Amino acid sequence: MGRREEPAWTKGTVGLTVARERGDVGRKFQNRLTVTRSMIERLGLEKELHGHMGCVNCLEWNVDGSILASASDDLHVILWDPYRYKQISNISTGHTGNIFSVKFLSRDSLATCAADSSVRVRSLSTGASLLECGCHCGRVKRLASVPDGTDVFWSAGEDGLVLQHDLRTPHRCNSDSANVLVNLLNHLGKYAEAKCLAVNPRRPYQLAVGANDFYVRLYDTRMIKLAKLQEIPSGSAPSGLMWERQNVRCSRAGHGDPDENIPREAVQYYAPGHLSMELNENTFPKKATTYVAFSHDGNELLVNLGSEQVYLFDINSARRPVLVESFIIQHNHSRREEASHETVQPTETSGENGTIDQQVILPEKIQHLKAVANELVNSGSFCMAVETYNMAIHAYPNCALLYSNRAAALMRRGWSGDTYAAIRDCYQAIKLDPGHVKSHFRLAKGLMDLKRAREANECLLYFKDKFPKHASSHAVFLLQKDIKVALKTMERDEGDEDSQAGSPLERQLRMSSLDYSSRFLGHCNTTTDIKEANFLGPDAGFVAAGRRQYVHLVPSHG
């Protein structure tokens, strides 16, 4: 009998790589090389690939990971063998502006889009052009396609259009063919821009679109009727053609789709609660959606809004922002979910400002983490305190005291979004323990800090009614005083507020936007925004967020 050869996965990384190139590696290869925390800690530069003469703006792997495509400001796309560190081919794309996105549509077709307002597709085997589309009137920032290869893909441009391209049908720009999936100008106004988009890998009819605001739009493309580009006035000079085209498209900006091709049921908006519920919200705020990505199972959507904030949305069970519903209605006159959690026995001691300092009996490890976090708060190390409370809550998730204490640390740290995160913690603490005094008071204070005076007043009135022994405390007196001043100011200024811009459908969709499930923060000593945030690993166990000269990696759950 011949000697049985050992499987490739027992021969280490080199053996696995060789076996992968031979194509005889199964599931164990993937399991052996899965992304783990120890692997993340060992990440480093393996090789620099030289060949471009300008900034490299985007990278893309083909479906089996055997080819890496890079696109650059030098108007070229280079295909690389990532294992031998060699160029396979250097493609002159024909673009006349910086290339912003590159996508493999199949093993033989490659799509690019650029600052010259064009989308191009070419055959890799013959070099023939399969598509040259100039329907956009602004820079085309992103392409999206179904991962397993298809003839249909989408492009997002700064002219506010999301176009659908189908290689199976001939295309002529500005013809009668309908290829406009979404026209953001019709809903947002003439300054709308489409910045990024992504296709759900498990439900390819779901398309996420980010614009120059903080709302992410999730469209069901099955329900949308493709629209035509607006007609160009006859006699337009060729040199002014693009300007004329965009001018025509802006002529009815903000008035909705003329043919109502997008029904209300075809789109759902997602946005961080503290941003979507801002008073006097502008149509085009300072924040813009720079990148969107789906998880491997298609159930979660990762969104970057520039700066240092990355948000995770659960598209199947997302909820409205906690500020939308009345506190009393949500917590006292509606059915509460039956939460199965460990019961903790509270005791009361004298607290600060006349409020109760509730103590609970915690496991020794959790008690130690709580004590460390409290010391960090007292010393002013609020960031480390929040991280310590995170560890405690991850290990012991059903303790109201931990959520309430983390809320206090978040409010004192005061980063963008921290107050709203603290309010979410207070809601969770009250859900776990409806009698937790400090959580009720901190909820009212957090709402006031977000300039939600009416909701803060409602919560404080409920606090005084539920805990009459503490209604006359000095902290309650000061908060009530601030609320009264804010309410008078709101009454005086209400008549001066301008109505929110945008189409009626846009206003309706914004009001019904859903909140995030998790928030991630990354920071460094540069002033540039995060350019991309994506999942890392086959099970989306980590989030990688990067900007110039910086990459930040965090676990995506816990």
Side-chain angles (χ1 to χ4, degrees):
M1 296 179 62
R3 179 183 176 186
R4 184 175 65 87
E5 184 178 358
E6 293 183 355
W9 59 271
T10 64
K11 300 179 181 179
T13 303
V14 175
L16 286 169
T17 304
V18 172
R20 177 181 180 177
E21 293 187 355
R22 291 203 308 258
D24 59 354
V25 176
R27 182 68 177 172
K28 291 183 178 180
F29 173 82
Q30 300 177 22
N31 293 339
R32 184 65 180 264
L33 291 188
T34 189
V35 178
T36 62
R37 183 179 293 274
S38 61
M39 189 275 278
I40 294 294
E41 294 172 351
R42 298 195 306 271
L43 280 177
L45 178 64
E46 180 176 345
K47 184 71 174 181
E48 289 186 1
L49 304 178
H50 297 276
H52 284 291
M53 302 300 292
C55 293
V56 178
N57 297 320
C58 50
L59 301 170
E60 180 75 8
W61 294 93
N62 69 344
V63 66
D64 61 4
S66 61
I67 299 177
L68 176 66
S70 60
S72 168
D73 288 351
D74 62 9
L75 314 182
H76 283 239
V77 171
I78 297 180
L79 303 183
W80 303 89
D81 182 334
Y83 303 104
R84 296 181 176 87
Y85 316 125
K86 294 182 179 180
Q87 288 189 24
I88 299 174
S89 61
N90 191 324
I91 303 170
S92 178
T93 61
H95 285 293
T96 58
N98 301 349
I99 302 174
F100 292 127
S101 185
V102 58
K103 282 286 181 183
F104 286 98
L105 302 182
S106 67
R107 292 182 179 273
D108 186 52
S109 57
L110 186 75
T112 54
C113 65
D116 60 4
S117 306
S118 69
V119 176
R120 295 171 179 262
V121 182
R122 68 169 55 238
S123 169
L124 296 178
S125 59
T126 66
S129 175
L130 304 179
L131 174 69
E132 292 184 10
C133 177
C135 292
H136 283 287
C137 294
R139 299 191 302 176
V140 189
K141 297 303 295 286
R142 199 75 63 186
L143 300 174
S145 62
V146 179
D148 58 356
T150 179
D151 292 318
V152 179
F153 67 102
W154 297 267
S155 61
E158 291 184 343
D159 56 355
L161 297 183
V162 176
L163 301 184
Q164 179 169 302
H165 309 274
D166 191 339
L167 298 180
R168 296 168 298 184
T169 60
H171 172 73
R172 290 183 56 194
C173 295
N174 305 318
S175 68
D176 291 334
S177 60
N179 64 341
V180 179
L181 183 74
V182 178
N183 187 342
L184 294 177
L185 279 73
N186 290 340
H187 300 284
L188 296 180
K190 62 181 180 180
Y191 299 111
E193 299 177 1
K195 292 290 190 181
C196 51
L197 71 170
V199 178
N200 191 323
R202 294 300 179 90
R203 297 183 285 275
Y205 53 84
Q206 289 185 332
L207 182 69
V209 177
N212 54 330
D213 59 13
F214 47 71
Y215 291 93
V216 176
R217 299 146 174 88
L218 183 61
Y219 294 95
D220 187 334
T221 58
R222 300 172 301 178
M223 304 173 65
I224 300 177
K225 180 179 65 175
L226 294 178
K228 297 180 181 179
L229 294 171
Q230 282 89 339
E231 294 293 334
I232 307 301
S234 59
S236 298
S239 60
L241 182 59
M242 186 169 292
W243 180 88
E244 290 283 358
R245 286 159 54 193
Q246 188 65 2
N247 188 49
V248 171
R249 294 173 188 176
C250 292
S251 61
R252 58 168 291 105
H255 297 286
D257 292 312
D259 51 0
E260 298 182 352
N261 65 313
I262 303 179
R264 168 65 183 87
E265 299 77 16
V267 57
Q268 174 63 57
Y269 279 25
Y270 296 85
H274 61 290
L275 299 178
S276 64
M277 295 304 298
E278 281 185 352
L279 299 175
N280 302 324
E281 176 199 346
N282 295 320
T283 303
F284 299 105
K286 294 180 180 180
K287 295 183 182 295
T289 306
T290 58
Y291 204 85
V292 292
F294 282 97
S295 60
H296 71 291
D297 58 7
N299 293 326
E300 293 177 315
L301 186 62
L302 194 67
V303 177
N304 173 238
L305 299 180
S307 66
E308 300 173 343
Q309 311 261 351
V310 179
Y311 297 94
L312 185 68
F313 296 89
D314 186 334
I315 64 174
N316 297 322
S317 58
R319 296 183 176 182
R320 299 285 297 279
V322 295
L323 304 184
V324 172
E325 298 182 13
S326 163
F327 169 78
I328 293 179
I329 293 176
Q330 184 168 348
H331 288 285
N332 299 283
H333 299 293
S334 63
R335 295 183 179 178
R336 292 182 184 148
E337 298 179 1
E338 294 294 333
S340 57
H341 59 274
E342 300 176 37
T343 302
V344 291
Q345 301 296 329
T347 60
E348 298 181 2
T349 62
S350 177
E352 299 177 358
N353 300 322
T355 59
I356 290 180
D357 186 9
Q358 291 173 297
Q359 296 183 344
V360 296
I361 301 174
L362 299 173
E364 182 177 354
K365 177 182 177 181
I366 305 303
Q367 183 64 40
H368 173 71
L369 288 173
K370 172 180 171 292
V372 171
N374 290 346
E375 287 296 326
L376 290 170
V377 170
N378 293 333
S379 64
S381 302
F382 304 120
C383 187
M384 294 181 63
V386 171
E387 292 296 329
T388 306
Y389 282 127
N390 289 345
M391 291 188 289
I393 290 173
H394 179 69
Y396 200 69
N398 296 315
C399 177
L401 178 61
L402 296 177
Y403 286 98
S404 183
N405 284 7
R406 185 172 68 177
L410 286 166
M411 293 172 71
R412 295 187 66 179
R413 186 174 69 173
W415 291 0
S416 174
D418 275 358
T419 300
Y420 180 71
I423 289 174
R424 287 167 54 107
D425 274 353
C426 290
Y427 269 88
Q428 181 63 21
I430 294 171
K431 181 179 178 181
L432 293 171
D433 181 5
H436 198 272
V437 180
K438 283 194 172 183
S439 295
H440 284 273
F441 181 77
R442 285 168 180 160
L443 177 59
K445 188 176 186 305
L447 289 168
M448 185 58 204
D449 290 344
L450 284 185
K451 298 181 173 57
R452 308 293 299 193
R454 288 194 178 96
E455 290 90 339
N457 185 55
E458 186 179 7
C459 288
L460 191 60
L461 290 175
Y462 178 74
F463 173 86
K464 294 168 70 175
D465 181 62
K466 186 175 180 66
F467 309 105
K469 186 167 59 174
H470 309 285
S472 58
S473 70
H474 185 60
V476 172
F477 171 77
L478 293 178
L479 181 57
Q480 184 69 69
K481 182 179 178 181
D482 292 340
I483 290 175
K484 287 182 178 179
V485 173
L487 288 174
K488 290 182 179 180
T489 303
M490 290 176 62
E491 292 175 359
R492 184 174 63 249
D493 297 341
E494 271 182 348
D496 300 331
E497 294 180 4
D498 296 329
S499 60
Q500 189 183 45
S503 68
L505 177 60
E506 179 70 18
R507 294 194 294 270
Q508 181 183 2
L509 290 168
R510 290 188 175 200
M511 290 180 62
S512 60
S513 63
L514 301 180
D515 201 5
Y516 67 85
S517 57
S518 299
R519 179 179 69 133
F520 307 105
L521 299 175
H523 54 278
C524 65
N525 59 353
T526 66
T527 57
T528 57
D529 294 339
I530 291 176
K531 303 303 182 185
E532 179 177 345
N534 216 327
F535 294 99
L536 185 64
D539 297 323
F542 290 84
V543 169
R547 65 181 90 189
R548 290 184 180 179
Q549 302 177 344
Y550 180 74
V551 176
H552 189 63
L553 296 164
V554 295
S556 64
H557 297 89

